Amino acid sequence: MDDDKSSPSFSEGGAVPRVVIVDDHRLFRSGVRGELGDAVEVVGEAGDVDGAVHVIAEKQPDLVLLDVHLPGGGGVEVLRRVLARQPQVRFLALSVSDAAEDVIGIVRGGARGYVTKTISGRELADAIVRVADGDAVFSPRLAGFVLDAFSATDAPPVDPELDRLTQREREVLRHIARGYAYKEVGKELFISVKTVETHVSSVLRKLQLSNRHELSRWATARRLV
């Protein structure tokens, strides 16, 4: 007997989706809980990669609401580790970033949707239900990135240099390349100036660049800014 045919989908009045929220800002996770209300059942939370993998294995949710940038390797690392053992879990990325490489990277990793943090609570609840039912959901501007990336003629080549950078390093790179001062980058990303300096040093070392000017040219050549 086909259980999928005998059980109503979430959108058709079945049980609400069981959701795990993964984001490194506790206050944001609390806000998402409040916005979603009774539309879903939040069964767990996590703030980093290891915590996410643990709580997903323990709670067996229908869907994981996943931030792209996380301590421990980012959302892509969560996808890699979870889907290898729990391929039935569905992922919806929720991020402040609308950068093409973030969208493409997380989708290639196995997420079935990507929405930005400007989304309303009602829209987010609808997106969760749709992805839990098997649909793919993207914020309108981001859908074009996915279509371009996965079309036969426009698929961008893998950039081995960019792949050396963590998600957080890429985020810092984009801000520095746009001309932000270290203090401004820290304010935008909610990290200390010292942490910004550490990330910039790591990026320069990995890319074998000498200064911010070379970094900006490197990022511009790859259309990261």
Side-chain angles (χ1 to χ4, degrees):
M1 181 175 180
D2 189 337
D3 290 336
D4 290 337
K5 292 182 179 179
S6 63
S7 300
S9 67
F10 296 113
S11 60
E12 293 174 341
V16 296
R18 300 173 68 257
V19 175
V20 165
I21 302 172
V22 179
D23 191 282
D24 60 345
H25 293 99
R26 182 177 59 82
L27 191 60
F28 178 77
R29 297 198 305 266
S30 297
V32 170
R33 273 183 178 263
E35 287 289 331
L36 292 175
D38 297 331
V40 307
E41 179 186 358
V42 178
V43 297
E45 298 181 7
D48 58 24
V49 170
D50 288 341
V53 173
H54 174 78
V55 74
I56 294 166
E58 179 184 10
K59 298 298 184 180
Q60 298 288 314
D62 300 302
L63 179 137
V64 178
L65 200 57
L66 181 68
D67 193 9
V68 173
H69 303 294
L70 293 167
V76 171
E77 179 65 10
V78 176
L79 289 161
R80 185 186 69 80
R81 291 169 60 180
V82 170
L83 291 177
R85 296 185 177 182
Q86 300 165 259
Q88 79 284 358
V89 178
R90 288 177 172 141
F91 286 84
L92 172 62
L94 174 63
S95 177
V96 68
S97 171
D98 62 358
E101 68 269 20
D102 285 339
V103 179
I104 295 166
I106 210 79
V107 173
R108 281 180 170 155
R112 293 191 61 83
Y114 192 121
V115 294
T116 62
K117 290 181 177 179
T118 58
I119 195 170
S120 71
R122 183 173 182 177
E123 290 170 334
L124 180 58
D126 178 66
I128 288 172
V129 168
R130 289 171 59 193
V131 172
D133 274 340
D135 291 343
V137 177
F138 297 90
S139 293
R141 178 172 176 269
L142 309 185
F145 296 155
V146 179
L147 291 174
D148 288 345
F150 290 91
S151 68
T153 57
D154 296 329
V158 174
D159 188 330
E161 290 186 302
L162 188 60
D163 283 349
R164 294 191 191 114
L165 306 183
T166 66
Q167 294 291 340
R168 180 61 88 183
E169 286 169 349
R170 296 183 193 188
E171 197 168 37
V172 170
L173 164 65
R174 284 195 300 272
H175 282 81
I176 293 296
R178 290 169 182 163
Y180 283 65
Y182 286 3
K183 185 176 181 180
E184 293 172 325
V185 177
K187 185 177 180 181
E188 286 287 321
L189 302 182
F190 303 100
I191 56 179
S192 70
V193 173
K194 182 66 175 177
T195 300
V196 174
E197 292 174 349
T198 300
H199 284 310
V200 172
S201 295
S202 178
V203 170
L204 291 174
R205 184 181 68 254
K206 289 180 179 180
L207 300 180
Q208 298 183 333
L209 301 175
S210 301
N211 52 51
R212 288 184 56 162
H213 179 64
E214 290 183 0
L215 186 151
S216 295
R217 286 193 301 174
W218 186 93
T220 301
R222 285 160 175 77
R223 299 181 180 179
L224 300 180
V225 294

